[in-house]
Amino acid sequence: MSKLVLYGLDISPPVRACLLTLRALDLPFEYKIIDLLSGDHRTEEFLQKNPQHTVPLLDDDGTLIWDSHAICCYLVDKYAQSDDLYPKDLVKRAKLEQRLYFDASVLFMPLRNISVPYFYKKVSTVPQEKIDNITDAYVHLENFLDESPYLTGDTVTIADFCCGATASSLPAVLSIDPEKYPKITAWLARLGELPYYKEANANGAEQYIEILKDVFTIVE
């Protein structure tokens, strides 16, 4: 088996999605911490590997892949003994990939658009419109869980890893009300029962929330 190296840091939801996938597949890998606030992602060495200077970055014996969704798909396609985490059936895969695109464009972006200005420029005022975007994402996510325990059916997939890593971090900005969103609450609790969840995701999510808790002021 080729040597896998994942570059990232624990507070990053996309990095944690990859950590969940690696743990679920029980793959040996090296984890190299990239401190974004210290500029590790802007070094010449890192830019040669990923000119987009983002994490996560996967190095699979010289094959370089960035974007968490692409990494998770690649890992399952190449190394999984079954297709449970990323079905080969085109209809099932299309539904799963819709959830991945939802994570990238609807669920994660509101969090990124609030947290990045704070991390790099200490911007702590947040327009209500950005909070409303998170509320909209919660409503959609709740609806996706209306008919099944996981995002695409009765078994966990990489869609749950990607969306779960983001959703478990969003309370840093807007809490998930269990009365309004009982299905999201139950789904996250279900993911929390996975034997590798705490190490791969929960610890980093808790750190992320602790950093951003009570930081933001919402303005109309």
Side-chain angles (χ1 to χ4, degrees):
M1 178 178 167
S2 55
K3 180 181 179 181
L4 293 170
V5 181
L6 182 70
Y7 296 82
L9 72 168
D10 288 349
I11 64 170
S12 164
V15 170
R16 285 186 264 117
C18 297
L19 290 171
L20 284 165
T21 303
L22 286 160
R23 297 299 187 192
L25 295 172
D26 197 23
L27 294 173
F29 67 99
E30 181 181 357
Y31 187 33
K32 292 190 176 182
I33 300 298
I34 298 295
D35 187 341
L36 302 182
L37 296 182
S38 296
D40 291 352
H41 61 312
R42 299 277 186 175
T43 64
E44 182 177 350
E45 179 185 1
F46 191 82
L47 288 171
Q48 287 179 349
K49 295 178 182 294
N50 177 5
Q52 199 173 334
H53 51 77
T54 56
V55 293
L57 167 67
L58 181 74
D59 184 343
D60 183 4
D61 201 23
T63 297
L64 300 169
I65 305 168
W66 57 93
D67 184 276
S68 57
H69 309 92
I71 291 170
C72 293
C73 293
Y74 171 84
L75 287 170
V76 177
D77 270 344
K78 182 169 182 179
Y79 293 109
Q81 296 182 2
S82 75
D83 69 344
D84 291 347
L85 290 174
Y86 187 40
K88 296 185 184 299
D89 178 90
L90 291 180
V91 174
K92 292 180 179 179
R93 179 165 285 203
K95 184 177 182 180
L96 187 153
E97 289 180 340
Q98 184 278 326
R99 305 299 195 249
L100 296 183
Y101 300 141
F102 166 79
D103 177 52
S105 61
V106 178
L107 198 61
F108 179 68
M109 287 309 296
L111 181 62
R112 185 183 189 280
N113 289 339
I114 292 171
S115 62
V116 167
Y118 175 75
F119 281 131
Y120 289 107
K121 297 183 179 179
K122 297 302 179 185
V123 176
S124 59
T125 55
V126 179
Q128 181 63 46
E129 180 182 3
K130 290 188 176 182
I131 302 299
D132 293 342
N133 289 337
I134 297 177
T135 301
D136 289 343
Y138 283 164
V139 171
H140 289 305
L141 188 58
E142 182 78 6
N143 289 336
F144 291 156
L145 293 161
D146 194 42
E147 297 180 353
S148 57
Y150 297 102
L151 281 175
T152 62
D154 293 330
T155 59
V156 69
T157 69
I158 58 172
D160 298 287
F161 294 160
C162 292
C163 291
T166 303
S168 61
S169 305
L170 279 166
V173 180
L174 181 64
S175 62
I176 300 173
D177 186 334
E179 293 188 3
K180 288 183 179 179
Y181 311 111
K183 295 182 177 65
I184 296 177
T185 303
W187 167 67
L188 287 174
R190 205 172 292 120
L191 292 176
E193 295 173 358
L194 295 169
Y196 45 82
Y197 182 85
K198 181 173 176 57
E199 179 183 0
N201 185 69
N203 291 341
E206 290 170 4
Q207 293 172 27
Y208 185 88
I209 292 170
E210 184 64 26
I211 292 170
L212 296 179
K213 182 177 65 175
D214 301 325
V215 161
F216 300 111
T217 301
I218 301 169
V219 295
E220 296 293 338

